[in-house]
Amino acid sequence: MLKGFKEFLLRGNVLDLAVGIIVGGAFTLVVAGLQNGILNPLIAAIFGKPDISKVWQFTINGSHFSIGLFFNAVLNFVIVAAALYFVVVMPVKHFSERVKRGEEPVPEPEVPSADVVLLQEIRDLLAAQQELQR
């Protein structure tokens, strides 16, 4: 039972997911640092408010509205989307275009392990047996 759990944890996609979550959390800190260290002081200097979430606040019949809070969320989204585009999407697109032009070698598919080959053979034999029974 522990061996199966260990194999599950050590599969590439689980490790990639874990690394992605950790990098995403760290990237959130970078975005927060950019906003709190550079953008919010800039906005404070321009609008005379401590940060963008305090800009354009008003109250109607006891309900508080904050347009700046919405702009703060939009700004965070734009920063994250831009960083993902320039750090992930553009390099992958550039690499795939180079592969299409033949400038980069096409990665070889992984050779399946002996267990996978055996399971594939069993699957094929069972499928052939079912065809014979029909």
Side-chain angles (χ1 to χ4, degrees):
M1 185 164 92
L2 290 176
K3 181 182 177 190
F5 182 67
K6 178 182 172 186
E7 289 174 1
F8 169 75
L9 289 178
L10 294 179
R11 285 197 321 216
N13 53 358
V14 174
L15 293 176
D16 291 343
L17 179 62
V19 168
I21 289 171
I22 291 168
V23 168
F27 188 70
T28 301
L29 296 174
V30 170
V31 169
L34 173 67
Q35 186 165 1
N36 295 331
I38 297 172
L39 298 177
N40 281 341
L42 180 64
I43 291 165
I46 294 171
F47 292 103
K49 301 285 184 181
D51 61 30
I52 194 171
S53 66
K54 306 291 186 217
V55 175
W56 297 310
Q57 288 184 333
F58 58 92
T59 303
I60 299 176
N61 292 333
S63 296
H64 300 285
F65 296 88
S66 177
I67 296 172
L69 190 62
F70 172 72
F71 285 140
N72 191 25
V74 170
L75 185 61
N76 278 339
F77 173 77
V78 168
I79 292 170
V80 170
L84 286 175
Y85 179 75
F86 291 112
V87 173
V88 176
V89 174
M90 279 187 60
V92 168
K93 183 179 175 184
H94 179 69
F95 178 75
S96 64
E97 288 173 355
R98 290 181 64 178
V99 168
K100 286 180 185 176
R101 290 192 306 257
E103 295 175 10
E104 292 286 333
V106 177
E108 293 291 324
E110 292 183 19
V111 178
S113 67
D115 295 346
V116 172
V117 172
L118 179 62
L119 288 172
Q120 288 173 342
E121 290 174 2
I122 293 170
R123 179 200 61 204
D124 295 341
L125 289 172
L126 287 172
Q129 184 180 14
Q130 285 180 345
E131 287 296 321
L132 290 175
Q133 290 177 352
R134 291 184 185 187

